[in-house]
Amino acid sequence: MPTSSISFVPPVIAHRGASNLAPENTLSAFVKAAATGAKWVEFDVMLAACGEAVVIHDETLERTTNGTGNVSDHPYSYLRTLDAGSWFHPRFANERIPTFKEVIAVIEAHGLNANVEIKALPGLEDQTVRKVLSDIENYWPKDATPPLISSFSMEALKLVRAYSPPALIAILIHEWFEAWYDYTEALSCVSLDINHEILDADKVKLIKATDRFLLCYTVNNPQRALELFSWGVDAVFTDQVNVIMKAL
């Protein structure tokens, strides 16, 4: 597995950017993550109605913007007019839903690495994967660590592997299931991104014995992060990136 180019030092991944310091999945959140000293960010990518890849977590607009309805029902020409920051704090009123391309530019400018989670709607897996891989091919800096591509959708991950044999794939696991090893082998995963609440020291040992990275989400308690590291976990996704960084 081509993991030699990946380093999780420090072992902290800013979940949706520095989401306790700025509105999640916005350019400000990624800039603030870099300012904490973090080297990795995580964010979610889905398609607007026009086929543009946009960075937002929810399939609907209400929680993190002043818009309504489904992200996939609107073209980016509309989505870019929405306020994606005021819900967090009035000083972020000018924040917008960024495109994947815009986030890549910020990542390059700040020397960040990224875990890109593909959030493909059922039936749109192929279109979403093709667009994400196209943007990576066209805009990701050639001399940088390639993105780690994750998803809860097995169909999406199968398509990533089919269309991009060298891609660095991570399988997302929320509930423990015994066939995890078969899936990771079939997809040639370099990492497992796992809900920390279902892990114990024995499961960590089992996973690490397969010579893969083990990343845990979403860890906001410093003591829990240190416990996971003591078991052999490689890095944690956190909403409290500055807090976890300080604990290290």
Side-chain angles (χ1 to χ4, degrees):
M1 294 179 289
T3 59
S4 59
S5 63
I6 303 178
S7 171
F8 291 103
V9 180
V12 180
I13 304 168
H15 185 236
R16 307 178 199 170
S19 53
N20 66 324
L21 304 175
E24 65 178 58
N25 280 334
T26 63
L27 299 184
S28 286
F30 303 124
V31 171
K32 285 187 177 292
T36 70
K39 296 300 182 184
W40 281 81
V41 294
E42 180 272 354
F43 53 87
D44 312 276
V45 180
M46 65 181 71
L47 295 186
C50 60
E52 184 66 77
V54 297
V55 174
I56 186 171
H57 177 269
D58 296 6
E59 294 176 6
T60 54
L61 294 163
E62 284 82 357
R63 184 175 66 86
T64 59
T65 80
N66 63 339
T68 59
N70 297 320
V71 175
S72 60
D73 289 341
H74 300 288
Y76 189 64
S77 58
Y78 168 75
L79 295 177
R80 70 181 181 186
T81 68
L82 298 178
D83 177 348
S86 289
W87 67 272
F88 185 87
H89 193 279
R91 68 176 177 274
F92 292 104
N94 292 323
E95 287 292 332
R96 303 300 172 200
I97 299 172
T99 63
F100 184 29
K101 292 179 285 190
E102 289 173 328
V103 173
I104 292 173
V106 168
I107 285 170
E108 181 176 18
H110 293 273
L112 292 167
N113 302 306
N115 184 138
V116 178
E117 181 181 341
I118 294 177
K119 299 185 83 72
L121 292 177
L124 293 180
E125 291 91 351
D126 190 84
Q127 184 182 351
T128 306
V129 167
R130 285 180 181 272
K131 176 58 176 172
V132 168
L133 292 178
S134 174
D135 280 358
I136 291 170
E137 174 65 26
N138 291 325
Y139 302 105
W140 204 271
K142 303 304 180 188
D143 58 346
T145 301
L148 190 60
I149 302 175
S150 66
S151 184
F152 284 107
S153 166
M154 293 301 109
E155 179 63 23
L157 293 180
K158 289 176 184 177
L159 290 166
V160 172
R161 179 56 70 223
Y163 295 144
S164 180
L168 304 179
I169 290 179
I171 186 172
L172 274 162
I173 298 175
H174 193 66
E175 300 289 347
W176 186 259
F177 63 102
E178 295 302 327
W180 66 268
Y181 179 77
D182 296 332
Y183 279 87
T184 55
E185 283 290 299
L187 291 166
S188 298
C189 292
V190 301
S191 175
L192 286 82
D193 296 1
I194 297 185
N195 172 12
H196 80 94
E197 294 178 355
I198 65 171
L199 280 180
D200 55 35
D202 290 338
K203 287 176 180 174
V204 171
K205 185 177 180 180
L206 194 65
I207 293 165
K208 290 303 297 176
T210 70
D211 195 30
R212 290 179 166 88
F213 291 111
L214 173 54
L215 314 178
C216 293
Y217 69 89
T218 303
V219 183
N220 294 328
N221 182 290
Q223 285 69 40
R224 176 59 170 168
L226 294 173
E227 179 180 45
L228 292 165
F229 296 145
S230 75
W231 292 346
V233 168
D234 293 287
V236 297
F237 299 89
T238 181
D239 301 319
Q240 303 285 332
V241 59
N242 55 327
V243 176
I244 303 297
M245 288 288 291
K246 186 176 180 180
L248 296 174

